[in-house]
Amino acid sequence: MAYEELPPFAAWQFVDAVDGFEVVYRDASGIRGYTSAVEAGQAYAVHYEISVDALWRTREVHVHNDTARGRRSTVLVSDGKGSWTVDGRSAPQLDGLYDVDLEASACTNTLPVHRLDLPLGDVVTAPAAYVQALDLQVRRLDQSYRRLDGHRFDYHSEGGFNAVLVYDKYGLVLDYPGIATRFA
């Protein structure tokens, strides 16, 4: 499915387990965003920049957080063929991945939807390099998408999480049940 060019900005209100807000801006090489939230009594602010290539494969990710324990940052770089480094060190646990998924972001679920040709009804695996919000730890996240129609995808991730994600004409999440709803 072909999506329209991303709008100049988008925003989400977090719901249920996390109270907070995310705003994302389109830029020449991808997206940059900001999240402020409180989860399980812990506050965090996250700023990120994600560069993608012409095929929507994640190429470089800069993530900065600020918590009561202080500030942290991490940089992930991909060769676009499935090899990664994290803070300049080889990360073989991420081999074969093409997307990043930020715990602090509803927007990063747009990356595999843009990158993959998702046939109606077929399940497509799309594991991602997952960056946790509070400590910026990076690990592999196994997940899959099944296109239900032109704008809805049945999403599954490890640990038994399942939701039907609703996307707009830009390929951005409108409704991520239990996580976020599009605000603007």
Side-chain angles (χ1 to χ4, degrees):
M1 179 172 177
Y3 293 104
E4 293 184 22
E5 182 179 350
L6 294 179
F9 75 93
W12 291 263
Q13 177 75 47
F14 293 126
V15 297
D16 297 338
V18 178
D19 291 318
F21 194 78
E22 176 182 16
V23 63
V24 173
Y25 301 97
R26 177 188 75 216
D27 66 27
S29 63
I31 56 174
R32 69 183 193 284
Y34 302 84
T35 298
S36 295
V38 176
E39 180 176 5
Q42 296 188 63
Y44 60 82
V46 173
H47 166 62
Y48 61 87
E49 297 175 22
I50 301 172
S51 297
V52 297
D53 64 20
L55 299 175
W56 281 87
R57 294 176 298 204
T58 301
R59 298 307 300 269
E60 192 164 333
V61 182
H62 295 257
V63 184
H64 311 274
N65 79 353
D66 196 356
T67 70
R69 290 178 290 213
R71 296 178 182 149
R72 292 187 176 99
S73 64
T74 191
V75 177
L76 290 75
V77 177
S78 170
D79 65 0
K81 299 175 186 170
S83 293
W84 294 75
T85 61
V86 176
D87 296 327
R89 295 184 189 102
S90 179
Q93 73 276 18
L94 304 178
D95 281 355
L97 307 181
Y98 297 98
D99 304 305
V100 67
D101 189 343
L102 305 180
E103 179 182 29
S105 173
C107 185
T108 53
N109 285 84
T110 197
L111 301 173
V113 169
H114 276 267
R115 183 180 59 77
L116 296 168
D117 181 19
L118 296 169
L120 190 63
D122 287 357
V123 174
V124 177
T125 60
Y130 185 72
V131 183
Q132 297 174 178
L134 287 171
D135 59 11
L136 299 186
Q137 292 296 308
V138 180
R139 65 178 179 83
R140 178 189 184 95
L141 175 69
D142 289 318
Q143 54 188 8
S144 65
Y145 292 80
R146 180 171 59 96
R147 177 173 281 189
L148 300 175
D149 58 31
H151 296 284
R152 295 180 316 127
F153 295 83
D154 188 17
Y155 170 76
H156 292 266
S157 69
E158 63 188 46
F161 182 81
N162 178 45
V164 174
L165 307 182
V166 180
Y167 289 79
D168 65 10
K169 65 184 179 179
Y170 306 107
L172 293 169
V173 174
L174 287 172
D175 184 31
Y176 192 148
I179 304 293
T181 57
R182 183 80 169 275
F183 182 79

